[in-house]
Amino acid sequence: MKAVVCKAFGPPDQLVVEDVPSPSPRETEVKIAVHACGVNFPDTLIIEGKYQFRAEPPFTPGGEIAGEVLEVGERVKHLRAGDRVMTVVPYGGFAEEVVVPAMGCFPFPKDMEYTAAAAFPMAYGTSYYALNQRAQLKKDETLLVLGAAGGVGLAAVELGKCMGARVIAAASSDEKLEICKKHGADEVINYSDGKLKDKVKALTAGQGADVIYDPVGGDLFQQSLSCINWNGRILVIGFASGTIPEAAVNRALLKSCSIVGVFWGASMMREPQANQDNFAQLDTWFGEHRIQPHVSKVYSLDQAPQAMLDMVARKAIGKLVVKVRD
Ligand SMILES: NC(=O)c1ccc[n+]([C@@H]2O[C@H](COP(=O)([O-])OP(=O)(O)OC[C@H]3O[C@@H](n4cnc5c(N)ncnc54)[C@H](OP(=O)(O)O)[C@@H]3O)[C@@H](O)[C@H]2O)c1
């Protein structure tokens, strides 16, 4: 079978696409025929050896998988060959077939296509866990989403609206902000001029946002500390800017605000019931057409390295998906 292989840590253009042996499931695993695999920022860090865990080369990147079960291990009872499933794993998905733990595989709504299913669990799972469990976002609060046209960001915009918040989407270009408006943003901010905090204050009568969703880090995080409301929550989602910020915690004291960590991948293992409940709600909202992954570009398996290059170049709007088979 064909797979994208990372033979040594490095940028996406060092990945190769080649034939590798077809994997076999162990007793608690399933083998999946991959139909589509979402591209996520962590993929671009994992292949460089810069993520919070290290995969040892050679390995196949790609973690957000939608496909059909081909084979189940002896102890797997809740799945069988032919089931359509989605799953999130650390790596392995940019391939025609993959073996994954059965317990992490979930069926997805019948009216969701494989391409959408490969753009769904990471973005919406992360953002709903962040807004629901971590920020406890309430109706009528103001939610500011940074990197709002990115994968997790655009999901946060839609979910903020589902939860009854006023949503301000912030991104680096007007083209990106147009997409945010289409996905429900009440107001938008172009932060390419470096004036995020002034613009947030102007839109909130000087008070600041109640919840700030930050997948970017760097200077935008520093500005967030100056435009968070009293009792506000700043969600630490990630550092797409490449800079992990340090906080002057006196500013947290002055606003009585919280800097709240979010690690959705680990929460799935530690709080599986809450994760399942979250996905039940997400499936309901999908069925009601209140959330819909925005897949802006579809790539073939051979083009997976280009998809990662586009993400690093900040070109992705919504989600990029690698389609492995029709
Ligand atoms: N905590 C968790 O559980 C969790 C789960 C999933 C992902 N994440 C993290 O969330 C972050 C976003 O992931 P994603 O898959 O949504 O990525 P994405 O689609 O590429 O979105 C990231 C956004 O960050 C902004 N950005 C600013 N500087 C950038 C730079 N130098 N390079 C690339 N983007 C830059 C871009 O928006 P503008 O151009 O508009 O600024 C971009 O749309 C990553 O750091 C990822 O590791 C965390």
Side-chain angles (χ1 to χ4, degrees):
M1 64 127 184
K2 227 159 84 166
V4 176
V5 182
C6 173
K7 296 196 162 187
F9 291 130
D13 50 12
Q14 285 181 20
L15 296 167
V16 294
V17 182
E18 62 182 22
D19 275 317
V20 300
S22 176
S24 293
R26 287 175 296 190
E27 51 186 14
T28 58
E29 295 176 332
V30 293
K31 177 166 155 177
I32 295 174
V34 180
H35 279 247
C37 184
V39 183
N40 291 285
F41 203 83
D43 303 329
T44 70
L45 300 174
I46 291 166
I47 61 168
E48 300 245 20
K50 293 179 181 166
Y51 199 52
Q52 52 242 53
F53 67 80
R54 272 167 84 92
E56 281 313 315
F59 68 93
T60 290
E64 195 174 27
I65 296 163
E68 185 182 332
V69 174
L70 289 175
E71 232 181 290
V72 303
E74 286 157 30
R75 286 173 52 201
V76 177
K77 303 294 175 214
H78 72 292
L79 295 172
R80 57 185 179 179
D83 286 351
R84 288 175 1 128
V85 291
M86 58 164 71
T87 191
V88 173
V89 290
Y91 49 87
F94 295 140
E96 288 177 330
E97 295 170 357
V98 65
V99 163
V100 297
M103 64 171 285
C105 292
F106 298 98
F108 53 90
K110 286 194 172 50
D111 52 347
M112 191 185 276
E113 292 180 0
Y114 280 115
T115 306
F120 193 79
M122 178 80 91
Y124 290 89
T126 299
S127 292
Y128 194 41
Y129 167 67
L131 297 176
N132 188 27
Q133 272 86 11
R134 302 303 291 135
Q136 301 185 3
L137 177 68
K138 294 181 205 66
K139 192 171 176 299
D140 296 330
E141 283 192 318
T142 297
L143 167 67
L144 168 66
V145 181
L146 309 180
V152 296
L154 202 54
V157 169
E158 289 187 338
L159 292 169
K161 290 311 297 172
C162 289
M163 296 168 81
R166 171 193 181 207
V167 177
I168 304 174
S172 65
S173 75
D174 292 343
E175 185 197 0
K176 288 184 173 186
L177 292 169
E178 274 309 308
I179 297 290
C180 297
K181 279 191 213 160
K182 286 195 178 127
H183 285 256
D186 297 293
E187 272 113 1
V188 295
I189 289 175
N190 184 328
Y191 51 52
S192 57
D193 59 3
K195 293 185 177 161
L196 174 75
K197 67 174 192 282
D198 300 334
K199 293 179 178 181
V200 174
K201 283 189 176 168
L203 285 175
T204 56
Q207 298 301 299
D210 299 303
V211 174
I212 301 181
Y213 181 100
D214 179 15
V216 183
D219 173 62
L220 292 181
F221 175 86
Q222 300 299 352
Q223 293 199 51
S224 297
L225 282 167
S226 301
C227 62
I228 185 78
N229 200 357
W230 180 255
N231 277 339
R233 290 83 78 201
I234 301 178
L235 293 165
V236 180
I237 306 293
F239 316 105
S241 66
T243 305
I244 299 175
E246 288 182 8
V249 290
N250 62 314
R251 289 152 89 187
L253 180 155
L254 291 170
K255 291 288 182 69
S256 252
C257 75
S258 310
I259 297 167
V260 183
V262 176
F263 190 176
W264 174 63
S267 81
M268 281 198 291
M269 308 296 165
R270 289 167 178 264
E271 300 157 28
Q273 186 59 51
N275 187 56
Q276 223 167 302
D277 293 348
N278 281 0
F279 271 87
Q281 178 63 73
L282 292 171
D283 286 354
T284 301
W285 281 332
F286 178 83
E288 293 169 355
H289 308 289
R290 297 177 71 189
I291 57 175
Q292 177 65 53
H294 178 81
V295 178
S296 59
K297 197 158 177 195
V298 175
Y299 300 79
S300 67
L301 189 57
D302 288 327
Q303 294 168 328
Q306 183 59 49
M308 279 187 262
L309 284 169
D310 288 349
M311 177 157 276
V312 174
R314 224 164 154 172
K315 287 185 188 159
I317 297 188
K319 295 285 293 192
L320 307 179
V321 170
V322 172
K323 195 166 183 202
V324 178
R325 47 165 63 76
D326 289 322

